[in-house]
Amino acid sequence: MSNLERIESVKAGYLGGMAFTVAYVLILAINYTTWDVSVADVVSLGVKVAIAFISGFLFAVTYRYIIRTDKNGHLKDGAVLAFGLVRGLVPVELSSDVFHHWGQLAILGIESIICFMVARVCLEFAFHRGWIKLFS
């Protein structure tokens, strides 16, 4: 892989990370106001936002390689769904008690898919504008 390809991947990763993080922070704000959830301490919130950025960054870099110059919409949707499900189902691995809270698990999955969808839309916009080149 050439250095130009690496630069395009970093550009895609940064855009995806920022888009995912903005969507995630908006969802957190909605959750805190809607569900009257107490605001987590600053360190915990910072870790969550950092993980959100990393998730978006890795998604964007991978998405760029997955779609290449392919026009297959199912492939694009599948990438979003796969990343969203993996991130949304993490609580299942962390706790066996999560099965008693199907609603919360569903909300986490939907939130993850929405965040990855926002990152995808931003990436597609940048690809169409020529700001980021598709992997060739």
Side-chain angles (χ1 to χ4, degrees):
M1 177 173 18
S2 72
N3 284 337
L4 293 176
E5 288 294 338
R6 287 187 184 99
I7 290 170
E8 292 300 315
S9 291
V10 169
K11 286 171 28 181
Y14 183 75
L15 176 61
M18 291 304 296
F20 188 98
T21 302
V22 168
Y24 180 74
V25 168
L26 288 174
I27 287 173
L28 276 181
I30 291 168
N31 284 341
Y32 286 145
T33 57
T34 304
W35 302 105
D36 196 30
V37 177
S38 63
V39 178
D41 61 21
V42 176
V43 173
S44 176
L45 187 61
V47 169
K48 288 180 180 183
V49 170
I51 291 171
F53 180 82
I54 292 167
S55 296
F57 186 95
L58 294 174
F59 166 76
V61 171
T62 305
Y63 184 78
R64 182 174 173 264
Y65 289 105
I66 289 172
I67 64 164
R68 298 180 183 240
T69 56
D70 199 346
K71 301 293 184 211
N72 185 344
H74 295 296
L75 186 63
K76 295 174 181 183
D77 294 339
V80 170
L81 186 61
F83 270 81
L85 287 176
V86 167
R87 189 170 196 277
L89 292 174
V90 166
V92 173
E93 293 240 343
L94 297 177
S95 170
S96 61
D97 189 39
V98 78
F99 290 110
H100 299 292
H101 306 286
W102 284 102
Q104 288 177 331
L105 187 61
I107 289 171
L108 287 173
I110 291 168
E111 288 174 354
S112 293
I113 291 169
I114 289 170
C115 289
F116 285 117
M117 187 68 74
V118 168
R120 172 192 168 185
V121 168
C122 291
L123 286 168
E124 289 292 334
F125 183 78
F127 293 149
H128 284 69
R129 292 282 188 184
W131 298 339
I132 300 172
K133 293 175 182 59
L134 290 167
F135 185 74
S136 52

